[in-house]
Amino acid sequence: MNYTAPMLTLPATAEAFGTPSSAQAWLLNGTPLGLAALLLVAGALADAHGRRRVFLLGTLALGVTTALGAFAGTTALFTAARIAQGAASAAILAGSLGLLADAYPSGRDRIRATGVWGASVSAGIALGPLLAAVLSLADWRLAYLALGAATLATAVTGARTLTPPRAGGGGGPASTPTGIGGGPAPSPERTADTLAPERTAGTPAPSPERTADTPASSPAGRAGGGGRPDLAGATALALALGALLTALTLGRDGWLRPAVGVLLLASAVLLALFVAVERRRKDPMIDLGLLRRPAFRASTVGALFTGLAVIGLFSVLPSLLMRGQGVAPLAAAGLFVLWSGTSFVVALQARRLAGRLSAPYQLALGFVLSAAGVLPLLGTVDAPAVPWPRLMAGLVVAGAGSGLLNAALPRLAVDSVPPERAAMGSGANNTARYIGSAAGVALMLALSATDPDTAFAASAALALAGAALTVAGSPRR
């Protein structure tokens, strides 16, 4: 919800701050920038110091920084608050998927749990703009105050219900996770051996001693070095992404300008520096050797193109409709809920495909449906009147594709890495997603400045490219 709220408040926020059109991408991109820069650090810290601890600290920080964003008085301060919110969200995302990997080691339980996780993402995406649209009728700042208060309440609830393990790694009933969807949690008696019949082929058995707060550097769950934050790598990645976003933002005024070329070159050099730093470290944020795994490559590529093709476009679509067609904020929120609500429902039901279609091919199907849903949107922004049937049909199809993507990505993220690297896998997956979404938002805003249809066509083309790259080298089953 926090991530998508600015989609409906963008016009009011830009007016309040006097933000020029060329800089409005930063009002949307602050959170994905913070997410992309620190997700890998958060994943490494969660593996090393306990996923519950990192998750709860991230939730607390998100609540505080979201509330502070409501009091920002300039574009720079609001963007800084959003970047801090992204950093806090990084801890939440990395820790939450790591907690799921601990609670549901493999098989049907994990498929169901990651499906609910993906559906929850879709629900938050849907409700954020709706809440923002309703509260912005009074004042756009109320949306951030409400989200901040709700997040702080979640932190308090989590601290009470996510009970730390008892001494010796037991846990007992107090630390046994609640079943997903209201069902019973896996029985404490179901050890790694009793889970074996449900384990997917090639998935190693999780260590019985590994718990939500067992550091990965301990004998029970070693994940690399001592968990020391890789500040050099994080800085290089953040600067690379910042240079890329600035280049894409400036591109709307001319792609052949020298400043755009210099920034793109700087981004490439900084990315190469990040790779070099990670190769030299004994405890890197991301083990680059994981890229030799086809499933991990499919997960990373799928997440990157989900951000570029799907999140990038649908982050700016409400504002395009409000400005181009004069659609009211509540109506724009309703259209967004149609897309994201369909995504939510499909993500919940996608577990039924798990035994029939491998995760990479589920990603490819999601990308194809997203492209098929975007194509009917061509001409809708500049039409004399809003073509409601065509617009709504396209949003439903695209939403179904998004739901398949949201269900498959978290499962593939944790299944494609060893159990002790689960938080690193989720961190790498979400980093790729938010690098893609930040770049996608900047690109779609730049392309839509002259012709919205160019942005729609680019989104469809990127989705089809993502489908092809995701299945390249992946087994069918």
Side-chain angles (χ1 to χ4, degrees):
M1 293 176 70
N2 175 277
Y3 184 90
T4 55
M7 297 177 189
L8 267 294
T9 63
L10 179 60
T13 306
E15 181 181 357
F17 297 152
T19 309
S21 298
S22 59
Q24 288 181 15
W26 289 107
L27 297 176
L28 294 176
N29 270 338
T31 293
L33 176 59
L35 275 160
L38 290 179
L39 262 171
L40 290 174
V41 173
L45 289 175
D47 279 338
H49 298 294
R51 295 157 186 178
R52 173 186 178 275
R53 183 178 297 113
V54 169
F55 173 79
L56 291 177
L57 287 175
T59 306
L60 177 63
L62 179 63
V64 173
T65 54
T66 301
L68 290 176
F71 298 102
T74 65
T75 301
L77 288 176
F78 184 80
T79 301
R82 294 291 292 173
I83 292 173
Q85 291 159 36
S89 300
I92 295 173
L93 289 176
S96 62
L97 272 179
L99 287 170
L100 283 184
D102 286 333
Y104 303 92
S106 63
R108 298 186 189 93
D109 288 332
R110 174 176 286 187
I111 291 171
R112 188 181 184 191
T114 53
V116 172
W117 189 94
S120 299
V121 171
S122 299
I125 288 172
L127 294 176
L130 188 60
L131 175 69
V134 172
L135 294 182
S136 65
L137 295 175
D139 189 336
W140 65 267
R141 297 177 188 271
L142 291 177
Y144 298 97
L145 288 172
L147 287 171
T151 307
L152 289 173
T154 302
V156 173
T157 302
R160 292 178 176 177
T161 57
L162 292 173
T163 308
R166 295 174 182 173
S175 61
T176 301
T178 302
I180 295 295
S187 169
E189 287 77 24
R190 295 186 68 194
T191 62
D193 291 335
T194 60
L195 280 167
E198 292 182 355
R199 187 172 300 117
T200 56
T203 302
S207 170
E209 292 81 14
R210 181 76 167 100
T211 64
D213 272 347
T214 302
S217 56
S218 72
R222 192 172 303 280
R228 183 179 301 171
D230 182 5
L231 297 181
T235 301
L237 182 62
L239 292 175
L241 182 56
L244 175 62
L245 296 183
T246 305
L248 293 175
T249 300
L250 294 177
R252 65 184 294 155
D253 297 324
W255 295 102
L256 298 180
R257 296 170 60 192
V260 174
V262 170
L263 286 166
L264 290 175
L265 178 60
S267 179
V269 170
L270 288 165
L271 183 60
L273 177 61
F274 167 74
V275 172
V277 169
E278 296 307 292
R279 287 187 182 278
R280 291 175 62 88
R281 283 186 64 93
K282 294 181 180 179
D283 53 344
M285 291 188 298
I286 173 66
D287 180 0
L288 297 177
L290 292 173
L291 292 171
R292 291 193 289 268
R293 295 171 171 244
F296 184 79
R297 287 200 304 271
S299 170
T300 304
V301 170
L304 179 67
F305 276 84
T306 296
L308 278 170
V310 182
I311 301 176
L313 175 66
F314 287 93
S315 293
V316 303
L317 181 61
S319 122
L320 291 178
L321 291 172
M322 286 189 289
R323 290 173 176 172
Q325 287 285 6
V327 174
L330 277 176
L335 290 172
F336 192 85
V337 168
L338 178 63
W339 170 75
S340 52
T342 303
S343 177
F344 172 77
V345 173
V346 171
L348 276 179
Q349 298 302 317
R351 67 180 185 275
R352 303 179 188 276
L353 295 174
R356 302 180 179 90
L357 197 64
S358 68
Y361 279 81
Q362 183 176 322
L363 289 176
L365 178 59
F367 280 125
V368 170
L369 286 176
S370 181
V374 167
L375 291 177
L377 303 183
L378 291 168
T380 56
V381 174
D382 293 330
V386 181
W388 292 104
R390 179 156 56 97
L391 181 60
M392 295 172 70
L395 291 174
V396 168
V397 175
S402 175
L404 291 177
L405 294 171
N406 284 337
L409 282 173
R411 173 161 61 99
L412 193 56
V414 295
D415 283 348
S416 63
V417 297
E420 70 273 11
R421 296 279 188 167
M424 178 183 285
S426 67
N429 183 273
N430 283 297
T431 294
R433 183 196 294 238
Y434 290 112
I435 287 176
S437 65
V441 166
L443 179 63
M444 297 304 164
L445 282 175
L447 294 176
S448 63
T450 54
D451 184 3
D453 284 351
T454 305
F456 295 143
S459 173
L462 287 168
L464 294 176
L469 292 173
T470 299
V471 298
S474 299
R476 281 186 186 276
R477 302 288 300 194

